[in-house]
Amino acid sequence: MTRIFSGVKPTGHLTLGNYLGAVRQWVAADQEPDEALFCVVNLHALTVEHDPARVRRLSRQAATLLLAAGLDPQRCTLFVQSHVDEHTRLSYLLECTATDGELRRMIQYREKAAKSLGAGEGVRLSLLTYPVLMAADILAYGTQEVPVGEDQRQHVELTRDLAVRFNQRYGHTFTVPKATHPAVAARVMDLQDPGSKMGKSHESGAGIVYLLDEPGVVRKKVMRAVTDGGDGVVHDRAARPGVANLLDILAACTGTAPEVLAEGYSGYGALKRDVADAVVELLRPVRERHTELAGDPGAVEAVLREGAERARGLARPVVDRAYEAIGMLAP
Ligand code: TRP
């Protein structure tokens, strides 16, 4: 049995990048209720300026979409982070394990902090400590594997360092986890800006396919994707990032290697049409199921309540043990 944990942050609408980079892999991984845990990590949505109503709405939508994408609550544990106190409880102990320097070195922190400062905004302290809370998310469950996008690699590395350090200082307490990445399309790039990830927080939506986009909108976005100068269709991520991204997306949809797919095209037009068709078909069942589920919010809430209860039962003993190991009196 392999314990798996992953999280999705409700800071924007879920995208094709989230789906191909992470969620689809989760669906394939869900097996037994206490093997795979998937969490809407809503506390992580508070590290930058946020609108409470929007976070609430996006959290519910993310949970609904995960179910629509095929996560089966009978076979995995789906829950909301803020419903399980163990995450913040453990986070403090890990703050006492991590150093200021190692958190300031995190690439995502440096990028986001620079952006906030550039915009004349303050940087929330939680933006700096956020990887520690993420480590707590993971370590509270004795997680072995963390299926995430490539951009989260550094945070999982930090989690490993903290687990090892804690164990060395206070005795074996945490399982040391590792990140896993899907072979294809771990990184779907923005259709308008193939140098950057198709993230939910990108400013303009033109290069981002959202899971709930109407088919017509998906087609328009794919047909307007930027391609590169140069002749013919080849798969070359460095020299032809736009075309490579389209081929990677098609590869992820069809299961055929991108280099092989490239041989079948002489021009961008046909490639884009096929990518658009493949993405529309990929997302169709997810959208349909989402509409159904959104019509029954009580059912989704019940799933989340049950998930939180199960998660609490798993995390509680691990975190209690950590409190004792670090020197807190047993209550
Ligand atoms: N940091 C992740 C992201 O931005 C979300 C996340 C939070 C997460 N806690 C996690 C992912 C634990 C995996 C495991 O996408």
Side-chain angles (χ1 to χ4, degrees), residues 5-9 41 44 81 108 130 133-134 137-138 146-148 151-152 155 197 200:
F5 182 101
S6 201
V8 59
K9 198 162 52 175
V41 286
H44 290 291
Q81 184 188 29
Q108 230 178 53
Y130 136 86
L133 178 59
M134 174 165 167
D137 299 339
I138 296 167
V146 188
V148 281
D151 64 310
Q152 294 299 317
H155 294 155
K197 183 175 90 144
K200 34 183 155 46

Side-chain angles (χ1 to χ4, degrees), residues 211-259:
L211 294 189
L212 293 178
D213 277 346
E214 306 271 341
V217 174
V218 174
R219 276 180 212 289
K220 203 180 287 167
K221 287 177 177 173
V222 173
M223 295 312 287
R224 288 184 186 164
V226 301
T227 41
D228 322 285
D231 279 338
V233 174
V234 291
H235 187 259
D236 181 343
R237 287 201 186 103
R240 314 276 294 278
V243 175
N245 188 36
L246 290 170
L247 287 165
D248 283 339
I249 293 170
L250 190 58
C253 293
T254 60
T256 305
E259 297 80 6

Side-chain angles (χ1 to χ4, degrees), residues 17 56 61 69 99 180 205 254 265 282 321:
R56 227 172 271 132
Q61 189 188 74
T99 66
T180 57
T254 60
Y265 296 98
L282 182 78
R321 229 181 298 130

Side-chain angles (χ1 to χ4, degrees), residues 79-114:
F79 69 107
V80 176
Q81 184 188 29
S82 64
H83 291 172
V84 180
D85 292 340
E86 266 53 45
H87 296 242
T88 49
R89 249 183 103 215
L90 179 55
S91 186
Y92 181 70
L93 299 195
L94 296 177
E95 280 185 22
C96 300
T97 309
T99 66
D100 173 73
E102 75 193 330
L103 287 168
R104 288 188 195 282
R105 276 198 298 276
M106 293 288 118
I107 294 164
Q108 230 178 53
Y109 170 72
R110 293 162 68 118
E111 285 175 0
K112 289 193 181 174

